[in-house]
Amino acid sequence: MNGRLVDELLASGHLTPDWAPSFRGVPREDFIPDTIWRQDESRSGADLVPLHRDEHPGLWHELASGDDFVITQVDDGHPVGPDGVGDTVTSSASMPRVVALMLKHLDVHGGDRVLEIGTGTGWNAALLAHRLGADHVTSVEIDHDLASHARKALSAAGFGEVTVITGDGALGYPPTAPYDRLIAAVACSELPYAWVAQTRPGGRIVVPSWALEYHGLLAALTVTDDGTAVGRFVDDVSFMRLRDQRIDPRYQVFSYTDDEHEHATVTETDTHPAEVASGGYALGAIIAIGTRVGDCRKGYFPSKIPHSNDGTLWLTDHDSGSWARLCYDHDHGPPYLVRQYGPRKLWDEVEAAHAWWVDQGRPDADRWRFSVTPQGQRIELTSP
């Protein structure tokens, strides 16, 4: 990884000084496969176009060594379109700043044994191996081809002693449990209790979570003596889910028919969409909305124009056929026009949940307690 990016991550606080030597010594590009994919928005249908290292070496290197995520697999390794064009991202190399953030929250110490769920390219496992020793890292990857690539990349980088298991990450890896730390590079809506059971008391779990369907969050939990994992949501992140927890692709579609648009209810609101859609605004508000508005998926699409305040907020409940859409721009609003359709008035629900959060004194994210037991998981607001 180039030194300037490491310096930027240090300056931003995503990367802590104790991890800097590993980020400098383990370049991400050494783990990126020769074929990656980029989205071509000019295409209809499948729009993930392959980019081959030998055909575009400069662009490949720019992407592989940059601070954005890199798509490394589409359609579970079987692109649906001609010439390798894909429709659905099924694996990617995460943004370095997100990797650094998660490792910061993992809080490792010398001698710790770590279980990683979702090996992907192998880069995160290599960073852990650089810091802790390769024999202290076990990683589980469900996809055979991804696991094979990771093993080769780890071996080539000098970390061949990392144990890479091809298997279902939701089950963890009991043979070498318990672990001092567990980190997941895949998200889950229900945190598998096997992860808690395989982490020693006092051990730490860092995992992207869709426990609140409304928004992707990063959870950091500590395992207690009675086998409960207790912690907080510490940031907002968006990861692909465990394969057995994937959602129906239809739930990800934000659209409406002409008839629905014609019969939609039109109202106005003074609430800016960022206040209910962006974790960067107030993570506590996002958690409050997610706990109070169930079966609601959000699509928040800020304008791609630099320094623009324009964009669109979508809310959908596929089962009831309800949706809400709020378009906003700097020339119109507040108030902003809201269109809602179906038996649920999703915007009204979300706005009411946001108002409840305000009435509670705008509790921050650290007031929300996330716990996992053999009986399931709970999210609750604690006293100040």
Side-chain angles (χ1 to χ4, degrees):
M1 179 176 295
N2 70 72
R4 186 177 66 178
L5 178 54
V6 173
D7 292 340
E8 290 174 355
L9 295 178
L10 284 167
S12 69
H14 290 86
L15 180 65
T16 52
D18 54 333
W19 277 106
S22 297
F23 273 69
R24 294 188 194 278
V26 185
R28 185 178 71 161
E29 54 265 37
D30 290 353
F31 294 82
I32 302 297
D34 290 339
T35 298
I36 58 178
W37 281 262
R38 303 182 72 197
Q39 186 175 29
D40 182 354
E41 296 181 350
S42 68
R43 301 176 65 99
S44 60
D47 62 355
L48 300 172
V49 178
L51 186 150
H52 305 290
R53 182 177 189 173
D54 57 352
E55 296 177 2
H56 304 281
L59 180 55
W60 181 95
H61 185 269
E62 177 186 340
L63 297 173
S65 61
D67 190 32
D68 205 350
F69 70 92
V70 178
I71 301 170
T72 55
Q73 188 195 67
V74 296
D75 305 323
D76 291 329
H78 304 283
V80 300
D83 302 320
V85 175
D87 179 63
T88 303
V89 179
T90 51
S91 189
S92 65
S94 299
M95 298 172 64
R97 67 182 56 245
V98 172
V99 173
L101 177 72
M102 293 176 66
L103 290 173
K104 177 173 72 173
H105 286 296
L106 192 62
D107 189 30
V108 299
H109 301 276
D112 281 350
R113 297 173 60 255
V114 179
L115 176 64
E116 178 192 36
I117 308 298
T119 315
T121 65
W123 182 50
N124 193 67
L127 292 168
L128 288 162
H130 185 277
R131 175 81 182 270
L132 301 172
D135 59 341
H136 283 62
V137 181
T138 300
S139 187
V140 183
E141 172 57 57
I142 195 170
D143 188 285
H144 177 274
D145 292 339
L146 294 177
S148 178
H149 168 83
R151 289 190 192 99
K152 293 175 182 177
L154 283 162
S155 181
F159 304 113
E161 290 186 53
V162 170
T163 300
V164 178
I165 303 299
T166 303
D168 185 353
L171 304 177
Y173 189 62
T176 50
Y179 304 97
D180 301 290
R181 298 289 187 270
L182 185 148
I183 186 170
V186 288
C188 57
S189 52
E190 289 287 333
L191 194 149
Y193 187 73
W195 298 357
V196 181
Q198 292 172 35
T199 304
R200 67 164 177 81
R204 192 164 177 83
I205 297 173
V206 173
V207 55
S209 174
W210 281 100
L212 303 174
E213 184 179 359
Y214 187 75
H215 198 80
L217 299 167
L218 181 65
L221 306 100
T222 300
V223 177
T224 63
D225 290 338
D226 66 357
T228 299
V230 180
R232 311 284 182 183
F233 295 112
V234 294
D235 215 311
D236 61 315
V237 296
S238 183
F239 273 72
M240 285 169 280
R241 305 185 190 218
L242 285 165
R243 290 200 178 184
D244 66 353
Q245 294 187 17
R246 286 177 177 174
I247 62 172
D248 188 317
R250 293 173 299 172
Y251 284 79
Q252 303 183 63
V253 175
F254 300 98
S255 62
Y256 52 76
T257 66
D258 290 341
D259 182 66
E260 289 174 347
H261 185 267
E262 181 181 348
H263 291 90
T265 301
V266 180
T267 57
E268 293 183 339
T269 180
D270 289 332
T271 303
H272 192 282
E275 297 182 34
V276 300
S278 172
Y281 167 76
L283 196 57
I286 298 301
I287 300 170
I289 294 168
T291 58
R292 298 178 70 84
V293 183
D295 300 319
C296 177
R297 288 191 58 77
K298 166 180 62 66
Y300 181 50
F301 306 104
S303 172
K304 295 182 179 180
I305 301 174
H307 311 297
S308 170
N309 199 32
D310 304 351
T312 303
L313 171 67
W314 275 99
L315 304 170
T316 63
D317 170 16
H318 179 80
D319 289 337
S320 71
S322 303
W323 55 262
R325 182 172 184 259
L326 193 164
C327 293
Y328 55 99
D329 64 70
H330 63 281
D331 292 327
H332 300 88
Y336 308 100
L337 288 181
V338 181
R339 284 185 166 80
Q340 302 184 86
Y341 176 85
R344 294 181 65 185
K345 296 298 180 280
L346 292 172
W347 172 258
D348 294 351
E349 293 182 34
V350 166
E351 193 169 37
H354 182 265
W356 174 86
W357 173 74
V358 172
D359 289 343
Q360 296 298 310
R362 300 177 180 264
D364 291 335
D366 60 8
R367 288 271 310 279
W368 293 91
R369 181 177 185 266
F370 183 33
S371 60
V372 182
T373 69
Q375 290 72 45
Q377 60 190 31
R378 294 185 61 185
I379 302 166
E380 53 193 346
L381 182 63
T382 60
S383 300

